[in-house]
Amino acid sequence: MEVMAYRTELNPTNKQIGLIHQYCGTVRFAYNWYLDAAKAYYAECGLFLTGYAFSKALNNSKRPEWFTEAPSKSVKHAIMCAERAYRRFFKRQSGFPRYKRRNTNRDSFYVICSIHVERHRIRLPKLGWVKLKEKGYVPTRQEPKSATISIVNGRYYVSVLYEAQDPAPIQPTGEPLGMDVGLKNLAVLSDGTVFMNINKTNRLRKLEKRKRRIERMITRRYLANKGKDKVHGWHNYRKAIMEKWRIERRLNNRRVEYMKWVCAQVVRRQPSSLTIEHLNVKGMMKNRHLAPALHKQGLSVFLELVEQVCHKHGIELRRVSAWYPSSRLCHVCHRKNTSLVLGQYEWRCPVCGTLHDRDLNAALNLRDASEYQDL
């Protein structure tokens, strides 16, 4: 069975908006409450506190009225998420889980049962019927498994989960392709197709410039409102924060949509295999000179989308080692150019005299690579 998620924007009433914020706060409180209890329990008894034990003790204790108004499954799901994160810390697989904070641009809660979808609205536990901004997108013939209501940059979304039969993908019959990803261009295919870096377009540059202006405005308004009453003051500061979130949402949406379009163009070629390079993006982000450009390019998101699209359409995805010299090898005579530097985008082979474009040459070498890992 395959799990399909459909995410769309909600159009809630003012009363429903208040309830969404209330339930997000309750879930956040339950998450942090478990972490505090687990720390105290370990300090006192030296044992691991499970989420089930904490949830059982919570149900048998006296709780505030506002706490019991939230969906019980949402609270339990938050506790189990906290337990999963704490267990990883307990096994020394990660650091101690971070506490969830208020006043962030992202918040969510999870619900199951009693979820019904119609063409223009969805019924959610404790919220009732909520209007959808996009009509007819979420399937109505099948009962959904669960839903996640989220707040992102002041907007409200629902992600509905369905179980669906995994259809057998059509076997592609095209030529193998190699794809080199980078900062100068998002991707270059071995057939010569170049997908440019969308961050270099005028539209995104103007948005980035506007974002920097808003950030300076936020700093000035923070200093101007420092020491004032947070109930009656700070209004303009909060307006600037919301404007910054709105610009960030527009930037993120345009980048992700462009990545999806690039993946669709690759699928249209129906390659029998697609070879990419295994990139340690997390390690590359430690370079403070490259980190801002890498963050804007979103290579991790793009590679994840490529993997999903290849799996869906039956394209064999191959990944070569990060140490494979795809840019340094001449794809004609296979001579390795050890003097190639990072900022050099063209080079001539000293043996056969072929003039190479760095990215296209890397894509051709990736296509012809013999040592790779099947995904």
Side-chain angles (χ1 to χ4, degrees):
M1 296 292 288
E2 185 184 13
V3 178
M4 296 289 292
Y6 296 85
R7 184 172 183 264
T8 187
E9 189 173 353
L10 296 171
N11 187 18
T13 63
N14 290 333
K15 183 179 178 181
Q16 289 170 340
I17 288 174
L19 290 174
I20 291 173
H21 283 276
Q22 178 184 340
Y23 298 157
C24 286
T26 304
V27 166
R28 182 174 59 247
F29 183 84
Y31 186 97
N32 296 339
W33 195 356
Y34 168 81
L35 293 181
D36 287 334
K39 282 174 62 178
Y41 189 74
Y42 182 77
E44 184 177 349
C45 306
L47 298 174
F48 180 86
L49 178 63
T50 64
Y52 287 107
F54 178 74
S55 181
K56 185 177 179 180
L58 198 63
N59 292 335
N60 295 326
S61 63
K62 188 176 181 181
R63 293 159 293 169
E65 184 179 352
W66 57 266
F67 191 88
T68 57
E69 289 177 358
S72 59
K73 300 297 183 182
S74 305
V75 174
K76 188 169 184 179
H77 182 263
I79 293 171
M80 299 312 297
C81 288
E83 185 217 357
R84 196 178 306 119
Y86 183 62
R87 192 180 292 276
R88 286 181 58 82
F89 165 72
F90 208 76
K91 293 180 179 179
R92 298 186 178 182
Q93 295 177 347
S94 63
F96 189 81
R98 293 182 180 180
Y99 287 89
K100 291 188 178 294
R101 299 183 303 165
R102 296 179 59 188
N103 300 326
T104 59
N105 59 342
R106 291 180 180 270
D107 220 338
S108 64
F109 67 95
Y110 170 91
V111 292
I112 59 174
C113 303
S114 303
I115 305 170
H116 301 286
V117 181
E118 294 183 359
R119 179 179 175 274
H120 63 290
R121 60 179 185 170
I122 180 171
R123 193 174 75 182
L124 299 167
K126 299 281 188 174
L127 290 176
W129 288 105
V130 187
K131 292 181 180 180
L132 300 174
K133 286 194 174 181
E134 188 176 4
K135 299 176 178 62
Y137 172 67
V138 183
T140 58
R141 295 182 179 180
Q142 187 181 355
E143 196 72 17
K145 286 186 62 180
S146 63
T148 301
I149 297 92
S150 57
I151 308 171
V152 181
N153 298 334
R155 294 199 177 193
Y156 305 90
Y157 298 88
V158 62
S159 180
V160 190
L161 212 63
Y162 288 90
E163 277 188 353
Q165 293 291 338
D166 193 1
I170 301 173
Q171 191 66 27
T173 57
E175 295 292 327
L177 279 180
M179 183 171 68
D180 180 68
V181 299
L183 295 179
K184 180 186 176 185
N185 299 301
L186 177 62
V188 177
L189 300 182
S190 56
D191 62 1
T193 308
V194 178
F195 298 105
M196 63 174 291
N197 184 353
I198 193 175
N199 297 296
K200 295 181 180 180
T201 59
N202 289 333
R203 180 175 292 182
L204 262 69
R205 282 179 172 174
K206 287 180 180 179
L207 283 175
E208 285 286 352
K209 183 177 180 181
R210 189 174 176 185
K211 179 185 170 184
R212 290 193 296 269
R213 289 173 57 195
I214 294 294
E215 287 172 343
R216 292 195 296 269
M217 186 186 300
I218 289 170
T219 303
R220 291 195 299 268
R221 289 181 179 179
Y222 175 82
L223 296 174
N225 289 278
K226 202 171 182 181
K228 291 185 179 180
D229 183 9
K230 290 195 175 182
V231 177
H232 303 289
W234 298 83
H235 177 67
N236 289 334
Y237 174 79
R238 287 191 289 268
K239 279 174 58 179
I241 290 287
M242 292 297 294
E243 178 66 14
K244 178 190 172 185
W245 290 351
R246 191 178 69 85
I247 295 172
E248 287 177 344
R249 182 182 68 247
R250 292 179 64 187
L251 285 167
N252 182 66
N253 289 345
R254 287 180 178 176
R255 286 167 180 156
V256 172
E257 285 303 314
Y258 180 69
M259 293 176 193
K260 291 180 179 179
W261 177 80
V262 171
C263 292
Q265 296 302 309
V266 174
V267 170
R268 285 182 61 184
R269 288 162 172 78
Q270 289 292 305
S272 57
S273 66
L274 179 67
T275 308
I276 59 175
E277 190 175 1
H278 177 71
L279 296 178
N280 181 14
V281 181
K282 188 175 181 180
M284 294 165 65
M285 288 291 289
K286 294 180 181 179
N287 186 334
R288 62 186 180 90
H289 301 288
L290 295 178
L294 284 169
H295 176 71
K296 292 177 184 177
Q297 192 76 305
L299 292 183
S300 295
V301 178
F302 178 62
L303 294 175
E304 186 177 347
L305 286 172
V306 168
E307 186 174 345
Q308 292 174 2
V309 166
C310 289
H311 174 73
K312 181 178 179 181
H313 295 274
I315 301 171
E316 182 186 2
L317 181 61
R318 302 171 177 177
R319 182 177 289 174
V320 302
S321 170
W323 303 107
Y324 179 71
S326 58
S327 299
R328 297 176 181 270
L329 285 178
C330 172
H331 76 273
V332 177
C333 65
H334 304 289
R335 164 76 180 233
K336 185 177 179 181
N337 183 5
T338 57
S339 62
L340 187 67
V341 295
L342 186 62
Q344 189 175 350
Y345 294 108
E346 287 187 352
W347 61 279
R348 188 178 295 277
C349 178
V351 177
C352 63
T354 308
L355 181 64
H356 294 296
D357 177 87
R358 181 193 184 103
D359 296 336
L360 179 58
N361 178 65
L364 290 167
N365 285 325
L366 289 172
R367 181 198 62 186
D368 301 334
S370 58
E371 296 182 3
Y372 56 86
Q373 175 186 0
D374 291 330
L375 296 178

PDB file of all heavy atoms in Angstrom, residues 139-151:
ATOM      1  N   PRO A 139      -9.365  14.207  -2.464  1.00  0.00           N
ATOM      2  CA  PRO A 139     -10.330  13.171  -2.858  1.00  0.00           C
ATOM      3  C   PRO A 139     -11.478  13.042  -1.853  1.00  0.00           C
ATOM      4  O   PRO A 139     -11.292  13.209  -0.644  1.00  0.00           O
ATOM      5  CB  PRO A 139      -9.482  11.889  -2.885  1.00  0.00           C
ATOM      6  CG  PRO A 139      -8.077  12.359  -3.023  1.00  0.00           C
ATOM      7  CD  PRO A 139      -8.005  13.680  -2.325  1.00  0.00           C
ATOM      8  N   THR A 140     -12.657  12.748  -2.367  1.00  0.00           N
ATOM      9  CA  THR A 140     -13.846  12.637  -1.515  1.00  0.00           C
ATOM     10  C   THR A 140     -14.422  11.232  -1.462  1.00  0.00           C
ATOM     11  O   THR A 140     -15.277  10.956  -0.632  1.00  0.00           O
ATOM     12  CB  THR A 140     -14.939  13.595  -2.036  1.00  0.00           C
ATOM     13  OG1 THR A 140     -15.237  13.259  -3.402  1.00  0.00           O
ATOM     14  CG2 THR A 140     -14.476  15.035  -1.960  1.00  0.00           C
ATOM     15  N   ARG A 141     -13.993  10.335  -2.344  1.00  0.00           N
ATOM     16  CA  ARG A 141     -14.593   9.001  -2.400  1.00  0.00           C
ATOM     17  C   ARG A 141     -14.024   8.056  -1.349  1.00  0.00           C
ATOM     18  O   ARG A 141     -14.605   7.019  -1.069  1.00  0.00           O
ATOM     19  CB  ARG A 141     -14.369   8.396  -3.787  1.00  0.00           C
ATOM     20  CG  ARG A 141     -15.073   9.149  -4.903  1.00  0.00           C
ATOM     21  CD  ARG A 141     -14.856   8.468  -6.238  1.00  0.00           C
ATOM     22  NE  ARG A 141     -15.543   9.185  -7.308  1.00  0.00           N
ATOM     23  CZ  ARG A 141     -15.525   8.819  -8.572  1.00  0.00           C
ATOM     24  NH1 ARG A 141     -14.852   7.739  -8.946  1.00  0.00           N
ATOM     25  NH2 ARG A 141     -16.171   9.529  -9.490  1.00  0.00           N
ATOM     26  N   GLN A 142     -12.877   8.376  -0.781  1.00  0.00           N
ATOM     27  CA  GLN A 142     -12.213   7.489   0.170  1.00  0.00           C
ATOM     28  C   GLN A 142     -12.098   8.166   1.533  1.00  0.00           C
ATOM     29  O   GLN A 142     -11.954   9.389   1.620  1.00  0.00           O
ATOM     30  CB  GLN A 142     -10.813   7.117  -0.351  1.00  0.00           C
ATOM     31  CG  GLN A 142     -10.101   6.066   0.477  1.00  0.00           C
ATOM     32  CD  GLN A 142      -8.715   5.776  -0.085  1.00  0.00           C
ATOM     33  OE1 GLN A 142      -8.338   6.291  -1.131  1.00  0.00           O
ATOM     34  NE2 GLN A 142      -7.959   4.960   0.621  1.00  0.00           N
ATOM     35  N   GLU A 143     -12.174   7.358   2.600  1.00  0.00           N
ATOM     36  CA  GLU A 143     -12.065   7.900   3.949  1.00  0.00           C
ATOM     37  C   GLU A 143     -10.594   8.154   4.282  1.00  0.00           C
ATOM     38  O   GLU A 143      -9.757   7.260   4.158  1.00  0.00           O
ATOM     39  CB  GLU A 143     -12.653   6.898   4.953  1.00  0.00           C
ATOM     40  CG  GLU A 143     -12.946   7.474   6.319  1.00  0.00           C
ATOM     41  CD  GLU A 143     -14.152   8.402   6.321  1.00  0.00           C
ATOM     42  OE1 GLU A 143     -14.950   8.363   5.361  1.00  0.00           O
ATOM     43  OE2 GLU A 143     -14.286   9.161   7.284  1.00  0.00           O
ATOM     44  N   PRO A 144     -10.241   9.361   4.699  1.00  0.00           N
ATOM     45  CA  PRO A 144      -8.842   9.642   5.025  1.00  0.00           C
ATOM     46  C   PRO A 144      -8.405   8.968   6.318  1.00  0.00           C
ATOM     47  O   PRO A 144      -9.210   8.724   7.218  1.00  0.00           O
ATOM     48  CB  PRO A 144      -8.799  11.169   5.142  1.00  0.00           C
ATOM     49  CG  PRO A 144     -10.190  11.583   5.418  1.00  0.00           C
ATOM     50  CD  PRO A 144     -11.087  10.568   4.797  1.00  0.00           C
ATOM     51  N   LYS A 145      -7.106   8.670   6.405  1.00  0.00           N
ATOM     52  CA  LYS A 145      -6.546   8.045   7.605  1.00  0.00           C
ATOM     53  C   LYS A 145      -6.348   9.075   8.712  1.00  0.00           C
ATOM     54  O   LYS A 145      -6.685   8.833   9.867  1.00  0.00           O
ATOM     55  CB  LYS A 145      -5.192   7.405   7.287  1.00  0.00           C
ATOM     56  CG  LYS A 145      -5.268   6.124   6.492  1.00  0.00           C
ATOM     57  CD  LYS A 145      -3.881   5.517   6.363  1.00  0.00           C
ATOM     58  CE  LYS A 145      -3.317   5.155   7.738  1.00  0.00           C
ATOM     59  NZ  LYS A 145      -1.971   4.559   7.616  1.00  0.00           N
ATOM     60  N   SER A 146      -5.773  10.208   8.376  1.00  0.00           N
ATOM     61  CA  SER A 146      -5.455  11.230   9.381  1.00  0.00           C
ATOM     62  C   SER A 146      -5.316  12.571   8.683  1.00  0.00           C
ATOM     63  O   SER A 146      -5.346  12.667   7.446  1.00  0.00           O
ATOM     64  CB  SER A 146      -4.166  10.879  10.123  1.00  0.00           C
ATOM     65  OG  SER A 146      -3.074  10.859   9.223  1.00  0.00           O
ATOM     66  N   ALA A 147      -5.143  13.606   9.499  1.00  0.00           N
ATOM     67  CA  ALA A 147      -4.956  14.956   8.954  1.00  0.00           C
ATOM     68  C   ALA A 147      -4.060  15.739   9.906  1.00  0.00           C
ATOM     69  O   ALA A 147      -4.075  15.518  11.119  1.00  0.00           O
ATOM     70  CB  ALA A 147      -6.292  15.667   8.772  1.00  0.00           C
ATOM     71  N   THR A 148      -3.289  16.635   9.339  1.00  0.00           N
ATOM     72  CA  THR A 148      -2.431  17.531  10.124  1.00  0.00           C
ATOM     73  C   THR A 148      -2.779  18.962   9.768  1.00  0.00           C
ATOM     74  O   THR A 148      -2.680  19.356   8.595  1.00  0.00           O
ATOM     75  CB  THR A 148      -0.945  17.260   9.843  1.00  0.00           C
ATOM     76  OG1 THR A 148      -0.642  15.903  10.159  1.00  0.00           O
ATOM     77  CG2 THR A 148      -0.071  18.177  10.679  1.00  0.00           C
ATOM     78  N   ILE A 149      -3.203  19.718  10.752  1.00  0.00           N
ATOM     79  CA  ILE A 149      -3.535  21.133  10.552  1.00  0.00           C
ATOM     80  C   ILE A 149      -2.312  21.947  10.964  1.00  0.00           C
ATOM     81  O   ILE A 149      -1.786  21.759  12.075  1.00  0.00           O
ATOM     82  CB  ILE A 149      -4.767  21.540  11.377  1.00  0.00           C
ATOM     83  CG1 ILE A 149      -6.002  20.748  10.920  1.00  0.00           C
ATOM     84  CG2 ILE A 149      -5.046  23.028  11.238  1.00  0.00           C
ATOM     85  CD1 ILE A 149      -6.251  19.481  11.663  1.00  0.00           C
ATOM     86  N   SER A 150      -1.866  22.824  10.107  1.00  0.00           N
ATOM     87  CA  SER A 150      -0.644  23.580  10.368  1.00  0.00           C
ATOM     88  C   SER A 150      -0.850  25.061  10.105  1.00  0.00           C
ATOM     89  O   SER A 150      -1.708  25.467   9.313  1.00  0.00           O
ATOM     90  CB  SER A 150       0.512  23.053   9.496  1.00  0.00           C
ATOM     91  OG  SER A 150       0.169  23.110   8.135  1.00  0.00           O
ATOM     92  N   ILE A 151      -0.046  25.852  10.814  1.00  0.00           N
ATOM     93  CA  ILE A 151       0.006  27.302  10.618  1.00  0.00           C
ATOM     94  C   ILE A 151       1.384  27.627  10.057  1.00  0.00           C
ATOM     95  O   ILE A 151       2.404  27.332  10.700  1.00  0.00           O
ATOM     96  CB  ILE A 151      -0.219  28.063  11.931  1.00  0.00           C
ATOM     97  CG1 ILE A 151      -1.489  27.580  12.626  1.00  0.00           C
ATOM     98  CG2 ILE A 151      -0.281  29.562  11.693  1.00  0.00           C
ATOM     99  CD1 ILE A 151      -1.652  28.143  14.031  1.00  0.00           C
TER     100      ILE A 151
END
